[in-house]
Amino acid sequence: MFLCPIQSCDRKRQASEQEMKDSLAAANFMKCAKSLYNTLYDDDVECYEPRVFIKYRQPVNGYDVTVMCLPYNYTYDKERETEIWGNALLYFEKEDNRFYIYNESFSDSVLYYVNEQEVRDNMILELDYLPKSKNEYLSHNSPFFFSDVDFDGEEELIINNWRCGTRYCNTYDVYKITNNEAKRLIVEPFNKIESHAEFDSINKTIILNCYNGHRESYYKKYKQINKSTSYQFNLITIGQPGTDRKFTTLSDIDMGLKPKDFPDTPLIKELLDLYNSAIILYSLDHDFNLAECFDWNLKEIVNKLDCSIISNDTIREYAQNYKKVILSILSKDTFSDSESTKRIVTTHDTFAKKIIECFHVTDDMCQIYDSVVTGSIVEVEKQIKNNAVKPLIDDIPDFNKKCLYTLGAYYSNYYSTPALAIKPLQELMESKQYSIYICEIWRIWKFISENEVDWLGVPEEEYSAMKIVCLKTILAQIIQHPNDIMAINQFMQLSLMKYI
């Protein structure tokens, strides 16, 4: 007979405790909200910002969520007068766990597109929460949601930054909630998530689709590297959407000419050192530029570059020093400061000048080559343009002449499109036969290939691989004819072409 009064008293006590907790939570929220408001806005400013208070009817992942939003007063970017979009303080609470999160671009599809109420100060809205679909990682419409974006089996809190991304898409802040604390992940790729990010839980990869300064698209692919710390991901690929073409590093690709594969003569050793020092210089430049442009951590890649392939002690020391400087700069959190740039430029120029000085590289090499090669090509070009000769290239038995007429056909616009010259030029190089026109063939093949594809270009290792084929062909000629000055000049010119 005493059970009902006891239960009634207990319910009253619990209700009273809950009301006190709610009251304290509300007071705490309002205090924090007022502090934020006073921090962001001066009471004396003429453009007074109204405060909109939002309470969601449904708990989200067990959290009761309240929001204070300070709508923007922009007029030039508004789609509707009644849209609600601005800075906000979000308050999450469940049991003994509560925290605040600031969002500089708060809204959702209802507040932005549907709300019809006139925005006024101290406006209170009670809204139904817009949940994320189960089959998606990111929600466009929800102002916040929970999703396992780092594949650790636990959902992170995702805050939607409304229309903050490329072409007005949304960006997202990712928070780990541990020990009653929400900690934002500021490491890649979680500091750059946009609406069109792609998640693969099977392969543990995340793809971010990006645009460069010319509005050309590319993607960055990240892969989980540490299961114990699931949010650690490495950038493994940068490429072009819809194709298999990618930006590639060079420091980890073996593009040197190894001395053990060639006769041990002073001339051959010197020529090999010239090429190897040039490719090392270029590889370091190329990979540093990739790291700088795409914020790509390439320290481990660059460290793989082997400078010991250079037999000349002096040049090898300059190569090792340049590598050391680049590694020291890549170790920094940021390496685009003026001091770092100055160190890179100075060390690069010093290394390049030492190569030119050590191997006696002069403009005379180009003049000798041009005087012989260019004159012949111009003459054939005139003949083809005047229909004085029909370039039946496949029927020409002499390889040197076949190379000359292939170049003449390209220069005279004999091919209906330049791209049609790529295959015959490549076949000439792949035949591994020597010609005094081999340098020009590689140069034109590379030029056409670069111009016949879009901005991403042909991967650098493809150009270098074909260059190595040509260099080995020239070396074979020099080994047989050590006094062939034209071949020696060709080798030196092709070794440095584009690299220095």
Side-chain angles (χ1 to χ4, degrees), residues 257-276 309 311 359 471-472 474-482 488 491:
L257 292 175
K258 297 179 176 59
K260 66 180 181 62
D261 297 333
F262 300 92
D264 186 15
T265 66
L267 174 61
I268 297 301
K269 285 178 64 175
E270 189 168 338
L271 291 175
L272 293 179
D273 274 352
L274 171 64
Y275 167 75
N276 288 329
I309 196 172
S311 59
F359 297 107
L471 288 171
K472 287 182 175 179
I474 300 172
L475 275 176
Q477 172 72 9
I478 296 172
I479 291 169
Q480 288 187 349
H481 307 281
I488 294 172
F491 184 92

PDB file of all heavy atoms in Angstrom, residues 257-276 309 311 359 471-472 474-482 488 491:
ATOM      1  N   LEU A 257      71.766   5.149 -66.076  1.00  0.00           N
ATOM      2  CA  LEU A 257      72.544   4.263 -66.942  1.00  0.00           C
ATOM      3  C   LEU A 257      73.703   3.732 -66.105  1.00  0.00           C
ATOM      4  O   LEU A 257      74.604   4.485 -65.720  1.00  0.00           O
ATOM      5  CB  LEU A 257      73.066   5.031 -68.165  1.00  0.00           C
ATOM      6  CG  LEU A 257      72.002   5.497 -69.163  1.00  0.00           C
ATOM      7  CD1 LEU A 257      72.642   6.344 -70.265  1.00  0.00           C
ATOM      8  CD2 LEU A 257      71.267   4.316 -69.769  1.00  0.00           C
ATOM      9  N   LYS A 258      73.678   2.455 -65.792  1.00  0.00           N
ATOM     10  CA  LYS A 258      74.650   1.863 -64.860  1.00  0.00           C
ATOM     11  C   LYS A 258      75.994   1.625 -65.552  1.00  0.00           C
ATOM     12  O   LYS A 258      76.044   0.992 -66.613  1.00  0.00           O
ATOM     13  CB  LYS A 258      74.097   0.557 -64.306  1.00  0.00           C
ATOM     14  CG  LYS A 258      72.828   0.740 -63.480  1.00  0.00           C
ATOM     15  CD  LYS A 258      72.308  -0.583 -62.981  1.00  0.00           C
ATOM     16  CE  LYS A 258      71.106  -0.376 -62.071  1.00  0.00           C
ATOM     17  NZ  LYS A 258      70.004   0.336 -62.750  1.00  0.00           N
ATOM     18  N   PRO A 259      77.068   2.104 -64.954  1.00  0.00           N
ATOM     19  CA  PRO A 259      78.409   1.929 -65.543  1.00  0.00           C
ATOM     20  C   PRO A 259      78.764   0.470 -65.808  1.00  0.00           C
ATOM     21  O   PRO A 259      79.487   0.167 -66.768  1.00  0.00           O
ATOM     22  CB  PRO A 259      79.332   2.545 -64.485  1.00  0.00           C
ATOM     23  CG  PRO A 259      78.472   3.551 -63.775  1.00  0.00           C
ATOM     24  CD  PRO A 259      77.111   2.946 -63.748  1.00  0.00           C
ATOM     25  N   LYS A 260      78.297  -0.464 -64.982  1.00  0.00           N
ATOM     26  CA  LYS A 260      78.652  -1.879 -65.159  1.00  0.00           C
ATOM     27  C   LYS A 260      78.106  -2.464 -66.458  1.00  0.00           C
ATOM     28  O   LYS A 260      78.567  -3.524 -66.909  1.00  0.00           O
ATOM     29  CB  LYS A 260      78.146  -2.692 -63.976  1.00  0.00           C
ATOM     30  CG  LYS A 260      76.633  -2.777 -63.845  1.00  0.00           C
ATOM     31  CD  LYS A 260      76.228  -3.599 -62.632  1.00  0.00           C
ATOM     32  CE  LYS A 260      74.711  -3.721 -62.500  1.00  0.00           C
ATOM     33  NZ  LYS A 260      74.094  -4.419 -63.639  1.00  0.00           N
ATOM     34  N   ASP A 261      77.139  -1.787 -67.068  1.00  0.00           N
ATOM     35  CA  ASP A 261      76.538  -2.291 -68.310  1.00  0.00           C
ATOM     36  C   ASP A 261      77.272  -1.813 -69.560  1.00  0.00           C
ATOM     37  O   ASP A 261      76.872  -2.157 -70.680  1.00  0.00           O
ATOM     38  CB  ASP A 261      75.071  -1.854 -68.396  1.00  0.00           C
ATOM     39  CG  ASP A 261      74.220  -2.451 -67.275  1.00  0.00           C
ATOM     40  OD1 ASP A 261      74.584  -3.530 -66.777  1.00  0.00           O
ATOM     41  OD2 ASP A 261      73.206  -1.828 -66.892  1.00  0.00           O
ATOM     42  N   PHE A 262      78.358  -1.015 -69.363  1.00  0.00           N
ATOM     43  CA  PHE A 262      79.046  -0.427 -70.515  1.00  0.00           C
ATOM     44  C   PHE A 262      80.560  -0.565 -70.324  1.00  0.00           C
ATOM     45  O   PHE A 262      81.036  -0.802 -69.207  1.00  0.00           O
ATOM     46  CB  PHE A 262      78.664   1.059 -70.659  1.00  0.00           C
ATOM     47  CG  PHE A 262      77.196   1.280 -70.854  1.00  0.00           C
ATOM     48  CD1 PHE A 262      76.359   1.501 -69.766  1.00  0.00           C
ATOM     49  CD2 PHE A 262      76.637   1.247 -72.132  1.00  0.00           C
ATOM     50  CE1 PHE A 262      75.007   1.700 -69.938  1.00  0.00           C
ATOM     51  CE2 PHE A 262      75.279   1.448 -72.310  1.00  0.00           C
ATOM     52  CZ  PHE A 262      74.464   1.668 -71.216  1.00  0.00           C
ATOM     53  N   PRO A 263      81.323  -0.409 -71.411  1.00  0.00           N
ATOM     54  CA  PRO A 263      82.788  -0.504 -71.309  1.00  0.00           C
ATOM     55  C   PRO A 263      83.351   0.523 -70.340  1.00  0.00           C
ATOM     56  O   PRO A 263      82.869   1.662 -70.278  1.00  0.00           O
ATOM     57  CB  PRO A 263      83.260  -0.229 -72.740  1.00  0.00           C
ATOM     58  CG  PRO A 263      82.100  -0.599 -73.606  1.00  0.00           C
ATOM     59  CD  PRO A 263      80.880  -0.237 -72.823  1.00  0.00           C
ATOM     60  N   ASP A 264      84.378   0.126 -69.602  1.00  0.00           N
ATOM     61  CA  ASP A 264      84.982   0.984 -68.597  1.00  0.00           C
ATOM     62  C   ASP A 264      86.083   1.828 -69.223  1.00  0.00           C
ATOM     63  O   ASP A 264      87.280   1.616 -69.000  1.00  0.00           O
ATOM     64  CB  ASP A 264      85.537   0.142 -67.442  1.00  0.00           C
ATOM     65  CG  ASP A 264      86.051   0.982 -66.290  1.00  0.00           C
ATOM     66  OD1 ASP A 264      85.723   2.193 -66.266  1.00  0.00           O
ATOM     67  OD2 ASP A 264      86.761   0.447 -65.419  1.00  0.00           O
ATOM     68  N   THR A 265      85.664   2.817 -70.035  1.00  0.00           N
ATOM     69  CA  THR A 265      86.613   3.734 -70.663  1.00  0.00           C
ATOM     70  C   THR A 265      86.340   5.141 -70.143  1.00  0.00           C
ATOM     71  O   THR A 265      85.206   5.456 -69.753  1.00  0.00           O
ATOM     72  CB  THR A 265      86.477   3.723 -72.192  1.00  0.00           C
ATOM     73  OG1 THR A 265      85.191   4.260 -72.551  1.00  0.00           O
ATOM     74  CG2 THR A 265      86.591   2.298 -72.736  1.00  0.00           C
ATOM     75  N   PRO A 266      87.361   6.002 -70.124  1.00  0.00           N
ATOM     76  CA  PRO A 266      87.162   7.373 -69.609  1.00  0.00           C
ATOM     77  C   PRO A 266      86.029   8.114 -70.317  1.00  0.00           C
ATOM     78  O   PRO A 266      85.240   8.819 -69.671  1.00  0.00           O
ATOM     79  CB  PRO A 266      88.521   8.037 -69.852  1.00  0.00           C
ATOM     80  CG  PRO A 266      89.498   6.910 -69.830  1.00  0.00           C
ATOM     81  CD  PRO A 266      88.774   5.749 -70.458  1.00  0.00           C
ATOM     82  N   LEU A 267      85.957   7.985 -71.650  1.00  0.00           N
ATOM     83  CA  LEU A 267      84.927   8.693 -72.403  1.00  0.00           C
ATOM     84  C   LEU A 267      83.523   8.206 -72.007  1.00  0.00           C
ATOM     85  O   LEU A 267      82.624   9.023 -71.725  1.00  0.00           O
ATOM     86  CB  LEU A 267      85.137   8.489 -73.915  1.00  0.00           C
ATOM     87  CG  LEU A 267      84.042   9.061 -74.817  1.00  0.00           C
ATOM     88  CD1 LEU A 267      83.910  10.568 -74.642  1.00  0.00           C
ATOM     89  CD2 LEU A 267      84.313   8.714 -76.276  1.00  0.00           C
ATOM     90  N   ILE A 268      83.316   6.908 -71.971  1.00  0.00           N
ATOM     91  CA  ILE A 268      82.002   6.354 -71.644  1.00  0.00           C
ATOM     92  C   ILE A 268      81.619   6.705 -70.204  1.00  0.00           C
ATOM     93  O   ILE A 268      80.477   7.083 -69.926  1.00  0.00           O
ATOM     94  CB  ILE A 268      81.988   4.824 -71.843  1.00  0.00           C
ATOM     95  CG1 ILE A 268      82.246   4.481 -73.316  1.00  0.00           C
ATOM     96  CG2 ILE A 268      80.659   4.243 -71.393  1.00  0.00           C
ATOM     97  CD1 ILE A 268      81.237   5.064 -74.284  1.00  0.00           C
ATOM     98  N   LYS A 269      82.589   6.612 -69.270  1.00  0.00           N
ATOM     99  CA  LYS A 269      82.302   6.945 -67.874  1.00  0.00           C
ATOM    100  C   LYS A 269      81.866   8.404 -67.742  1.00  0.00           C
ATOM    101  O   LYS A 269      80.939   8.731 -66.994  1.00  0.00           O
ATOM    102  CB  LYS A 269      83.540   6.690 -67.000  1.00  0.00           C
ATOM    103  CG  LYS A 269      83.802   5.210 -66.721  1.00  0.00           C
ATOM    104  CD  LYS A 269      85.065   5.018 -65.901  1.00  0.00           C
ATOM    105  CE  LYS A 269      84.939   5.651 -64.522  1.00  0.00           C
ATOM    106  NZ  LYS A 269      86.141   5.354 -63.692  1.00  0.00           N
ATOM    107  N   GLU A 270      82.536   9.276 -68.503  1.00  0.00           N
ATOM    108  CA  GLU A 270      82.191  10.701 -68.430  1.00  0.00           C
ATOM    109  C   GLU A 270      80.811  10.971 -69.013  1.00  0.00           C
ATOM    110  O   GLU A 270      80.031  11.751 -68.447  1.00  0.00           O
ATOM    111  CB  GLU A 270      83.260  11.521 -69.174  1.00  0.00           C
ATOM    112  CG  GLU A 270      83.101  13.018 -68.969  1.00  0.00           C
ATOM    113  CD  GLU A 270      84.302  13.799 -69.458  1.00  0.00           C
ATOM    114  OE1 GLU A 270      85.389  13.202 -69.567  1.00  0.00           O
ATOM    115  OE2 GLU A 270      84.142  14.999 -69.720  1.00  0.00           O
ATOM    116  N   LEU A 271      80.488  10.312 -70.102  1.00  0.00           N
ATOM    117  CA  LEU A 271      79.168  10.499 -70.711  1.00  0.00           C
ATOM    118  C   LEU A 271      78.065   9.954 -69.793  1.00  0.00           C
ATOM    119  O   LEU A 271      76.999  10.576 -69.662  1.00  0.00           O
ATOM    120  CB  LEU A 271      79.111   9.809 -72.074  1.00  0.00           C
ATOM    121  CG  LEU A 271      79.968  10.429 -73.180  1.00  0.00           C
ATOM    122  CD1 LEU A 271      79.908   9.578 -74.449  1.00  0.00           C
ATOM    123  CD2 LEU A 271      79.530  11.860 -73.477  1.00  0.00           C
ATOM    124  N   LEU A 272      78.318   8.814 -69.164  1.00  0.00           N
ATOM    125  CA  LEU A 272      77.331   8.252 -68.242  1.00  0.00           C
ATOM    126  C   LEU A 272      77.123   9.172 -67.038  1.00  0.00           C
ATOM    127  O   LEU A 272      75.985   9.379 -66.594  1.00  0.00           O
ATOM    128  CB  LEU A 272      77.785   6.868 -67.760  1.00  0.00           C
ATOM    129  CG  LEU A 272      77.829   5.750 -68.819  1.00  0.00           C
ATOM    130  CD1 LEU A 272      78.329   4.457 -68.195  1.00  0.00           C
ATOM    131  CD2 LEU A 272      76.452   5.535 -69.456  1.00  0.00           C
ATOM    132  N   ASP A 273      78.196   9.735 -66.529  1.00  0.00           N
ATOM    133  CA  ASP A 273      78.073  10.662 -65.399  1.00  0.00           C
ATOM    134  C   ASP A 273      77.278  11.902 -65.785  1.00  0.00           C
ATOM    135  O   ASP A 273      76.512  12.446 -64.973  1.00  0.00           O
ATOM    136  CB  ASP A 273      79.463  11.077 -64.898  1.00  0.00           C
ATOM    137  CG  ASP A 273      80.035  10.096 -63.897  1.00  0.00           C
ATOM    138  OD1 ASP A 273      79.297   9.182 -63.473  1.00  0.00           O
ATOM    139  OD2 ASP A 273      81.221  10.237 -63.516  1.00  0.00           O
ATOM    140  N   LEU A 274      77.481  12.377 -67.010  1.00  0.00           N
ATOM    141  CA  LEU A 274      76.720  13.541 -67.484  1.00  0.00           C
ATOM    142  C   LEU A 274      75.223  13.253 -67.438  1.00  0.00           C
ATOM    143  O   LEU A 274      74.439  14.023 -66.879  1.00  0.00           O
ATOM    144  CB  LEU A 274      77.140  13.899 -68.911  1.00  0.00           C
ATOM    145  CG  LEU A 274      76.274  14.964 -69.611  1.00  0.00           C
ATOM    146  CD1 LEU A 274      76.380  16.304 -68.889  1.00  0.00           C
ATOM    147  CD2 LEU A 274      76.655  15.098 -71.073  1.00  0.00           C
ATOM    148  N   TYR A 275      74.834  12.131 -68.049  1.00  0.00           N
ATOM    149  CA  TYR A 275      73.407  11.799 -68.064  1.00  0.00           C
ATOM    150  C   TYR A 275      72.876  11.534 -66.658  1.00  0.00           C
ATOM    151  O   TYR A 275      71.812  12.046 -66.264  1.00  0.00           O
ATOM    152  CB  TYR A 275      73.128  10.579 -68.939  1.00  0.00           C
ATOM    153  CG  TYR A 275      71.726  10.045 -68.712  1.00  0.00           C
ATOM    154  CD1 TYR A 275      70.619  10.709 -69.233  1.00  0.00           C
ATOM    155  CD2 TYR A 275      71.509   8.903 -67.922  1.00  0.00           C
ATOM    156  CE1 TYR A 275      69.328  10.246 -68.983  1.00  0.00           C
ATOM    157  CE2 TYR A 275      70.231   8.437 -67.675  1.00  0.00           C
ATOM    158  CZ  TYR A 275      69.141   9.118 -68.203  1.00  0.00           C
ATOM    159  OH  TYR A 275      67.872   8.674 -67.953  1.00  0.00           O
ATOM    160  N   ASN A 276      73.586  10.726 -65.872  1.00  0.00           N
ATOM    161  CA  ASN A 276      73.096  10.353 -64.540  1.00  0.00           C
ATOM    162  C   ASN A 276      72.962  11.559 -63.620  1.00  0.00           C
ATOM    163  O   ASN A 276      72.013  11.645 -62.828  1.00  0.00           O
ATOM    164  CB  ASN A 276      74.011   9.305 -63.911  1.00  0.00           C
ATOM    165  CG  ASN A 276      73.872   7.940 -64.580  1.00  0.00           C
ATOM    166  OD1 ASN A 276      72.811   7.586 -65.075  1.00  0.00           O
ATOM    167  ND2 ASN A 276      74.967   7.177 -64.612  1.00  0.00           N
ATOM    168  N   ILE A 309      75.323   6.273 -58.211  1.00  0.00           N
ATOM    169  CA  ILE A 309      75.514   5.857 -59.603  1.00  0.00           C
ATOM    170  C   ILE A 309      76.481   6.794 -60.326  1.00  0.00           C
ATOM    171  O   ILE A 309      77.046   6.442 -61.368  1.00  0.00           O
ATOM    172  CB  ILE A 309      74.157   5.795 -60.322  1.00  0.00           C
ATOM    173  CG1 ILE A 309      74.283   4.997 -61.627  1.00  0.00           C
ATOM    174  CG2 ILE A 309      73.605   7.185 -60.576  1.00  0.00           C
ATOM    175  CD1 ILE A 309      72.952   4.717 -62.290  1.00  0.00           C
ATOM    176  N   SER A 311      79.960   8.339 -60.786  1.00  0.00           N
ATOM    177  CA  SER A 311      81.316   7.940 -60.400  1.00  0.00           C
ATOM    178  C   SER A 311      82.204   9.141 -60.091  1.00  0.00           C
ATOM    179  O   SER A 311      83.155   9.033 -59.310  1.00  0.00           O
ATOM    180  CB  SER A 311      81.960   7.092 -61.506  1.00  0.00           C
ATOM    181  OG  SER A 311      82.023   7.812 -62.725  1.00  0.00           O
ATOM    182  N   PHE A 359      81.561  18.992 -67.339  1.00  0.00           N
ATOM    183  CA  PHE A 359      81.514  18.199 -68.568  1.00  0.00           C
ATOM    184  C   PHE A 359      81.678  19.049 -69.831  1.00  0.00           C
ATOM    185  O   PHE A 359      81.414  18.587 -70.938  1.00  0.00           O
ATOM    186  CB  PHE A 359      80.205  17.409 -68.626  1.00  0.00           C
ATOM    187  CG  PHE A 359      80.075  16.415 -67.497  1.00  0.00           C
ATOM    188  CD1 PHE A 359      79.202  16.652 -66.449  1.00  0.00           C
ATOM    189  CD2 PHE A 359      80.856  15.277 -67.462  1.00  0.00           C
ATOM    190  CE1 PHE A 359      79.081  15.754 -65.403  1.00  0.00           C
ATOM    191  CE2 PHE A 359      80.746  14.370 -66.423  1.00  0.00           C
ATOM    192  CZ  PHE A 359      79.862  14.612 -65.382  1.00  0.00           C
ATOM    193  N   LEU A 471      69.487   7.051 -76.034  1.00  0.00           N
ATOM    194  CA  LEU A 471      70.835   7.236 -75.499  1.00  0.00           C
ATOM    195  C   LEU A 471      71.662   5.962 -75.632  1.00  0.00           C
ATOM    196  O   LEU A 471      72.857   6.004 -75.963  1.00  0.00           O
ATOM    197  CB  LEU A 471      70.766   7.674 -74.036  1.00  0.00           C
ATOM    198  CG  LEU A 471      70.294   9.114 -73.782  1.00  0.00           C
ATOM    199  CD1 LEU A 471      70.064   9.344 -72.295  1.00  0.00           C
ATOM    200  CD2 LEU A 471      71.288  10.123 -74.335  1.00  0.00           C
ATOM    201  N   LYS A 472      71.052   4.825 -75.367  1.00  0.00           N
ATOM    202  CA  LYS A 472      71.768   3.553 -75.514  1.00  0.00           C
ATOM    203  C   LYS A 472      72.137   3.292 -76.972  1.00  0.00           C
ATOM    204  O   LYS A 472      73.213   2.739 -77.266  1.00  0.00           O
ATOM    205  CB  LYS A 472      70.922   2.415 -74.964  1.00  0.00           C
ATOM    206  CG  LYS A 472      70.833   2.386 -73.448  1.00  0.00           C
ATOM    207  CD  LYS A 472      70.012   1.192 -72.953  1.00  0.00           C
ATOM    208  CE  LYS A 472      70.020   1.107 -71.424  1.00  0.00           C
ATOM    209  NZ  LYS A 472      69.212  -0.041 -70.941  1.00  0.00           N
ATOM    210  N   ILE A 474      72.802   5.647 -79.166  1.00  0.00           N
ATOM    211  CA  ILE A 474      73.928   6.540 -79.460  1.00  0.00           C
ATOM    212  C   ILE A 474      75.208   6.014 -78.816  1.00  0.00           C
ATOM    213  O   ILE A 474      76.296   6.068 -79.422  1.00  0.00           O
ATOM    214  CB  ILE A 474      73.618   7.968 -78.968  1.00  0.00           C
ATOM    215  CG1 ILE A 474      72.366   8.518 -79.666  1.00  0.00           C
ATOM    216  CG2 ILE A 474      74.805   8.893 -79.238  1.00  0.00           C
ATOM    217  CD1 ILE A 474      71.879   9.840 -79.093  1.00  0.00           C
ATOM    218  N   LEU A 475      75.090   5.502 -77.587  1.00  0.00           N
ATOM    219  CA  LEU A 475      76.269   4.947 -76.918  1.00  0.00           C
ATOM    220  C   LEU A 475      76.863   3.776 -77.710  1.00  0.00           C
ATOM    221  O   LEU A 475      78.090   3.630 -77.800  1.00  0.00           O
ATOM    222  CB  LEU A 475      75.906   4.485 -75.507  1.00  0.00           C
ATOM    223  CG  LEU A 475      75.942   5.537 -74.398  1.00  0.00           C
ATOM    224  CD1 LEU A 475      75.471   4.943 -73.079  1.00  0.00           C
ATOM    225  CD2 LEU A 475      77.351   6.121 -74.242  1.00  0.00           C
ATOM    226  N   ALA A 476      75.996   2.958 -78.276  1.00  0.00           N
ATOM    227  CA  ALA A 476      76.482   1.826 -79.088  1.00  0.00           C
ATOM    228  C   ALA A 476      77.296   2.340 -80.274  1.00  0.00           C
ATOM    229  O   ALA A 476      78.334   1.762 -80.639  1.00  0.00           O
ATOM    230  CB  ALA A 476      75.304   0.992 -79.569  1.00  0.00           C
ATOM    231  N   GLN A 477      76.854   3.453 -80.861  1.00  0.00           N
ATOM    232  CA  GLN A 477      77.586   4.076 -81.963  1.00  0.00           C
ATOM    233  C   GLN A 477      78.936   4.607 -81.484  1.00  0.00           C
ATOM    234  O   GLN A 477      79.972   4.424 -82.152  1.00  0.00           O
ATOM    235  CB  GLN A 477      76.748   5.219 -82.559  1.00  0.00           C
ATOM    236  CG  GLN A 477      77.447   6.088 -83.590  1.00  0.00           C
ATOM    237  CD  GLN A 477      77.663   5.386 -84.927  1.00  0.00           C
ATOM    238  OE1 GLN A 477      77.133   4.290 -85.153  1.00  0.00           O
ATOM    239  NE2 GLN A 477      78.441   6.004 -85.811  1.00  0.00           N
ATOM    240  N   ILE A 478      78.952   5.240 -80.303  1.00  0.00           N
ATOM    241  CA  ILE A 478      80.197   5.809 -79.770  1.00  0.00           C
ATOM    242  C   ILE A 478      81.179   4.708 -79.391  1.00  0.00           C
ATOM    243  O   ILE A 478      82.401   4.843 -79.595  1.00  0.00           O
ATOM    244  CB  ILE A 478      79.889   6.699 -78.544  1.00  0.00           C
ATOM    245  CG1 ILE A 478      79.027   7.903 -78.973  1.00  0.00           C
ATOM    246  CG2 ILE A 478      81.171   7.177 -77.877  1.00  0.00           C
ATOM    247  CD1 ILE A 478      78.510   8.737 -77.814  1.00  0.00           C
ATOM    248  N   ILE A 479      80.674   3.617 -78.842  1.00  0.00           N
ATOM    249  CA  ILE A 479      81.556   2.495 -78.470  1.00  0.00           C
ATOM    250  C   ILE A 479      82.261   1.934 -79.703  1.00  0.00           C
ATOM    251  O   ILE A 479      83.452   1.595 -79.659  1.00  0.00           O
ATOM    252  CB  ILE A 479      80.746   1.400 -77.745  1.00  0.00           C
ATOM    253  CG1 ILE A 479      80.290   1.911 -76.365  1.00  0.00           C
ATOM    254  CG2 ILE A 479      81.559   0.118 -77.595  1.00  0.00           C
ATOM    255  CD1 ILE A 479      79.270   1.025 -75.681  1.00  0.00           C
ATOM    256  N   GLN A 480      81.538   1.859 -80.821  1.00  0.00           N
ATOM    257  CA  GLN A 480      82.131   1.367 -82.067  1.00  0.00           C
ATOM    258  C   GLN A 480      83.000   2.422 -82.735  1.00  0.00           C
ATOM    259  O   GLN A 480      83.995   2.099 -83.392  1.00  0.00           O
ATOM    260  CB  GLN A 480      81.033   0.927 -83.033  1.00  0.00           C
ATOM    261  CG  GLN A 480      80.333  -0.361 -82.626  1.00  0.00           C
ATOM    262  CD  GLN A 480      79.365  -0.840 -83.700  1.00  0.00           C
ATOM    263  OE1 GLN A 480      79.063  -0.120 -84.652  1.00  0.00           O
ATOM    264  NE2 GLN A 480      78.892  -2.072 -83.541  1.00  0.00           N
ATOM    265  N   HIS A 481      82.637   3.695 -82.570  1.00  0.00           N
ATOM    266  CA  HIS A 481      83.356   4.800 -83.231  1.00  0.00           C
ATOM    267  C   HIS A 481      83.636   5.898 -82.192  1.00  0.00           C
ATOM    268  O   HIS A 481      82.957   6.929 -82.164  1.00  0.00           O
ATOM    269  CB  HIS A 481      82.520   5.365 -84.383  1.00  0.00           C
ATOM    270  CG  HIS A 481      82.064   4.318 -85.364  1.00  0.00           C
ATOM    271  ND1 HIS A 481      82.881   3.807 -86.336  1.00  0.00           N
ATOM    272  CD2 HIS A 481      80.862   3.677 -85.484  1.00  0.00           C
ATOM    273  CE1 HIS A 481      82.219   2.907 -87.050  1.00  0.00           C
ATOM    274  NE2 HIS A 481      80.987   2.804 -86.547  1.00  0.00           N
ATOM    275  N   PRO A 482      84.648   5.713 -81.354  1.00  0.00           N
ATOM    276  CA  PRO A 482      84.933   6.659 -80.261  1.00  0.00           C
ATOM    277  C   PRO A 482      85.248   8.069 -80.728  1.00  0.00           C
ATOM    278  O   PRO A 482      85.152   9.008 -79.924  1.00  0.00           O
ATOM    279  CB  PRO A 482      86.145   6.033 -79.565  1.00  0.00           C
ATOM    280  CG  PRO A 482      86.147   4.597 -79.982  1.00  0.00           C
ATOM    281  CD  PRO A 482      85.572   4.574 -81.354  1.00  0.00           C
ATOM    282  N   ILE A 488      78.869  11.944 -80.138  1.00  0.00           N
ATOM    283  CA  ILE A 488      79.163  12.412 -78.776  1.00  0.00           C
ATOM    284  C   ILE A 488      78.342  13.652 -78.448  1.00  0.00           C
ATOM    285  O   ILE A 488      77.748  13.773 -77.360  1.00  0.00           O
ATOM    286  CB  ILE A 488      80.666  12.685 -78.610  1.00  0.00           C
ATOM    287  CG1 ILE A 488      81.452  11.375 -78.713  1.00  0.00           C
ATOM    288  CG2 ILE A 488      80.954  13.384 -77.286  1.00  0.00           C
ATOM    289  CD1 ILE A 488      82.954  11.551 -78.757  1.00  0.00           C
ATOM    290  N   PHE A 491      74.753  12.671 -77.840  1.00  0.00           N
ATOM    291  CA  PHE A 491      74.533  12.077 -76.519  1.00  0.00           C
ATOM    292  C   PHE A 491      74.467  13.169 -75.446  1.00  0.00           C
ATOM    293  O   PHE A 491      73.585  13.150 -74.573  1.00  0.00           O
ATOM    294  CB  PHE A 491      75.646  11.088 -76.178  1.00  0.00           C
ATOM    295  CG  PHE A 491      75.420  10.376 -74.875  1.00  0.00           C
ATOM    296  CD1 PHE A 491      74.757   9.157 -74.848  1.00  0.00           C
ATOM    297  CD2 PHE A 491      75.849  10.925 -73.669  1.00  0.00           C
ATOM    298  CE1 PHE A 491      74.528   8.496 -73.647  1.00  0.00           C
ATOM    299  CE2 PHE A 491      75.624  10.274 -72.462  1.00  0.00           C
ATOM    300  CZ  PHE A 491      74.956   9.060 -72.454  1.00  0.00           C
TER     301      PHE A 491
END
